[in-house]
Amino acid sequence: MRKLNKQSLKRLSQKDKVPITFQMPRPSKKNTRQATASSRNGSARREEILETATDLFYERGYENGSLRDIAKVMGFTQAAIYYHFPSKDEIFFCILDRFTEIVFQAIKDQLDTPGDPAEVLRKALRQHVSLSRDYMKEVKLLIEDRKLLSDARLQIVRAKERKIFDLYRRHFEKLRAANLILPISPTIISFSLISTANSVYQWYDRGGSLSIEEISDELAQLYLCTDDSAGQSSKSRTARSRSKAD
């Protein structure tokens, strides 16, 4: 038998070594882009459905607008609507839930701002009235048709409304403690303010003589009226009347 020298052994050793490697398959860039695009398209489609439903419910009322109507306006099948929303009630809830969250966050941001509490209220009320102008359709649906939601979802929307009410009530308690409002129950004045701000959609005229900022400032003056300021306002009005008469 032929003897193997060290060089032969080395060559055999290297030849017998068979490296084995294993790599996890990576998702292709194409598949990743497709998944991301699909997600974006799905979100955009949901938004389109919600916008169409808002317009339809506003024009016809919630009860008179069907999923078939929404699909027809969008040029979809009903199955395409059901793919994104399991029911008309779910669509309506999403509209109201999102709107009440927008109002809550906007009012909270304003009322949480440090500074003169009277000025803070003015800014919050201006924000609230502006939202009522910009979201007239959602306000109308909230006030007139929310009762048509399923019980569980109606409770969620009402809880959001209660949070908005509590923001105002706590702030009016501060104003009353500082003698910046008349001695009226913060609960009553909060309900009154919210009702007034929400009713803007019924009478506001974009082409009217008053801007939305002027309207909100006048309302703020009404709610911030104290005994002293009421007297001063009365004297001021009397002076203006006499000036016009002269």
Side-chain angles (χ1 to χ4, degrees):
M1 177 183 289
R2 186 177 59 142
K3 292 184 179 180
L4 297 174
N5 56 29
K6 291 184 178 180
Q7 286 294 107
S8 299
L9 288 172
K10 186 175 180 181
R11 285 195 300 269
L12 286 172
S13 177
Q14 290 175 344
K15 184 179 179 180
D16 291 338
K17 288 182 179 179
V18 182
I20 300 176
T21 59
F22 179 78
Q23 293 182 343
M24 291 292 291
R26 297 179 182 179
S28 68
K29 292 183 179 180
K30 180 180 178 181
N31 290 340
T32 302
R33 286 196 297 269
Q34 287 177 343
T36 303
S38 177
S39 177
R40 284 199 300 265
N41 291 339
S43 298
R45 187 56 49 82
R46 282 177 59 89
E47 287 300 316
E48 189 179 354
I49 293 171
L50 290 174
E51 288 178 11
T52 303
T54 299
D55 291 340
L56 194 69
F57 296 159
Y58 174 76
E59 293 169 1
R60 302 183 185 180
Y62 174 69
E63 284 186 304
N64 297 321
S66 66
L67 290 181
R68 180 178 299 174
D69 294 329
I70 296 171
K72 185 177 180 180
V73 170
M74 298 182 70
F76 292 167
T77 62
Q78 274 188 259
I81 304 297
Y82 279 119
Y83 177 80
H84 295 282
F85 295 97
S87 66
K88 189 175 82 164
D89 187 66
E90 173 72 14
I91 293 176
F92 192 39
F93 169 72
C94 287
I95 293 170
L96 299 187
D97 183 61
R98 180 166 61 178
F99 171 65
T100 50
E101 182 63 25
I102 288 172
V103 175
F104 171 75
Q105 289 298 334
I107 301 305
K108 184 177 186 300
D109 289 345
Q110 293 295 335
L111 294 181
D112 284 348
T113 303
D116 174 31
E119 186 59 29
V120 167
L121 179 68
R122 287 190 183 94
K123 291 181 179 179
L125 184 54
R126 180 178 292 185
Q127 181 73 63
H128 197 157
V129 172
S130 296
L131 287 171
S132 295
R133 172 200 60 190
D134 297 338
Y135 291 86
M136 283 187 175
K137 296 174 183 178
E138 287 85 350
V139 176
K140 179 179 183 291
L141 292 173
L142 178 68
I143 294 174
E144 298 182 9
D145 287 346
R146 67 180 170 190
K147 61 183 179 292
L148 300 174
L149 276 172
S150 60
D151 289 341
R153 287 171 175 151
L154 178 59
Q155 293 307 313
I156 294 173
V157 172
R158 283 179 172 170
K160 287 274 186 71
E161 291 183 288
R162 178 70 193 197
K163 288 169 65 177
I164 295 169
F165 167 80
D166 287 339
L167 288 174
Y168 278 121
R169 181 179 53 79
R170 286 193 294 268
H171 195 76
F172 276 118
E173 287 173 351
K174 293 179 184 178
L175 291 167
R176 185 173 179 180
N179 198 33
L180 293 174
I181 59 172
L182 292 172
I184 300 174
S185 165
T187 296
I188 293 175
I189 200 169
S190 296
F191 275 126
S192 175
L193 182 148
I194 292 171
S195 297
T196 302
N198 286 345
S199 70
V200 166
Y201 82 94
Q202 295 176 315
W203 53 266
Y204 176 65
D205 180 6
R206 292 178 183 270
S209 59
L210 292 175
S211 68
I212 204 70
E213 291 76 19
E214 290 171 323
I215 291 172
S216 60
D217 289 345
E218 291 287 334
L219 290 174
Q221 187 60 35
L222 174 65
Y223 289 107
L224 288 168
C225 186
T226 62
D227 289 327
D228 291 340
S229 64
Q232 292 297 326
S233 297
S234 178
K235 291 177 182 179
S236 178
R237 286 193 296 271
T238 302
R240 287 198 297 270
S241 298
R242 288 176 178 174
S243 178
K244 290 180 179 179
D246 294 339

